[in-house]
Amino acid sequence: ALATAGAIAVATAVVAFGGKQTATTGGAVEPPAESHIFAKFERTPDSQEVLGPEGAMVDMADDMIGEEANANLPHIVYTLVDDMGWNDVGYQSTDLQGVSPHIDELAAKGVKLTSFYTQHLCTPTRASLMTGKYSIRTGLMHDEVIAPMSPWGLSLDYKLLPQYLAGMGYKTHMVGKWHLGHYMFDFYPTKRGFDSFYGYVTDQEHYYNH
């Protein structure tokens, strides 16, 4: 999947490795069986809530641990790209055809969400990706991102995407830009569900000072 947000030109890759894989001719990985692991969970409007006794899905991860849950999990790679406009990718550009052959191939074989809109800044977009909530629900909808000296971040009350994936049997890794809080170690990616993190935690870096 590919999502975009307006900010400094950087990318974040979230990778989740599943369990046993079965290769078909050509090296492709077979999809999970029809009885998907999510089938037994009924979603409600607020099904992904904060951690704690009132969280509707707090125990979901524990329920899915075991052989049945992670035997045939597919690998997941999610890339979030900042500062990328509608015309900046080959498969839909008016003048840049062929500049992104790998992304173009993925788009041709997948689903293109042509009416999917993200936030215009880094922090609220990343918060929505990690929580599954609109930025007005996380309190990060303002025209301000987390600066290097900002003493705040995405609330520790929220259970994030890598924590749910870990409960399903995945190993999760992140490369690139975090930008959801760093003023205490509890806000770091490896404290919020990721098994490893290689990148930077603030708003931007450049070729000459990273």
Side-chain angles (χ1 to χ4, degrees), residues 2 15 62 96 155 169 184 201 209:
L2 177 70
V15 184
D62 295 333
L96 297 174
S155 174
M184 293 193 306
V201 296
N209 66 1

Side-chain angles (χ1 to χ4, degrees), residues 43-195:
R43 294 191 62 81
T44 62
D46 275 327
S47 57
Q48 187 170 341
E49 277 301 339
V50 298
L51 290 172
E54 303 303 322
M57 294 181 71
V58 167
D59 297 326
M60 187 185 84
D62 295 333
D63 292 340
M64 290 190 290
I65 294 176
E67 293 293 330
E68 181 183 352
N70 61 18
N72 293 296
L73 292 175
H75 296 329
I76 301 170
V77 178
Y78 195 106
T79 304
L80 175 64
V81 184
D82 287 349
D83 197 24
M84 184 174 178
W86 173 267
N87 198 54
D88 296 337
V89 63
Y91 70 84
Q92 63 188 19
S93 176
T94 58
D95 58 352
L96 297 174
Q97 292 87 354
V99 299
S100 54
H102 299 298
I103 293 177
D104 296 351
E105 183 181 0
L106 288 172
K109 295 178 179 179
V111 177
K112 296 186 282 289
L113 305 176
T114 56
S115 296
F116 181 76
Y117 299 95
T118 66
Q119 301 297 317
H120 66 301
L121 290 170
C122 331
T123 296
T125 295
R126 283 168 164 73
S128 292
L129 168 62
M130 291 295 166
T131 63
K133 292 181 175 293
Y134 288 116
S135 57
I136 58 171
R137 301 294 184 188
T138 62
L140 301 177
M141 67 288 191
H142 304 291
D143 195 13
E144 178 184 2
V145 298
I146 300 174
M149 299 301 290
S150 295
W152 55 281
L154 176 61
S155 174
L156 298 177
D157 289 334
Y158 288 107
K159 189 170 184 176
L160 305 188
L161 174 64
Q163 294 172 296
Y164 286 117
L165 289 172
M168 295 164 59
Y170 279 99
K171 296 295 183 182
T172 58
H173 308 277
M174 181 177 175
V175 178
K177 178 179 177 179
W178 173 239
H179 208 194
L180 288 174
H182 57 275
Y183 81 103
M184 293 193 306
F185 283 118
D186 285 345
F187 285 87
Y188 273 56
T190 50
K191 292 290 188 180
R192 308 209 65 177
F194 285 104
D195 292 295

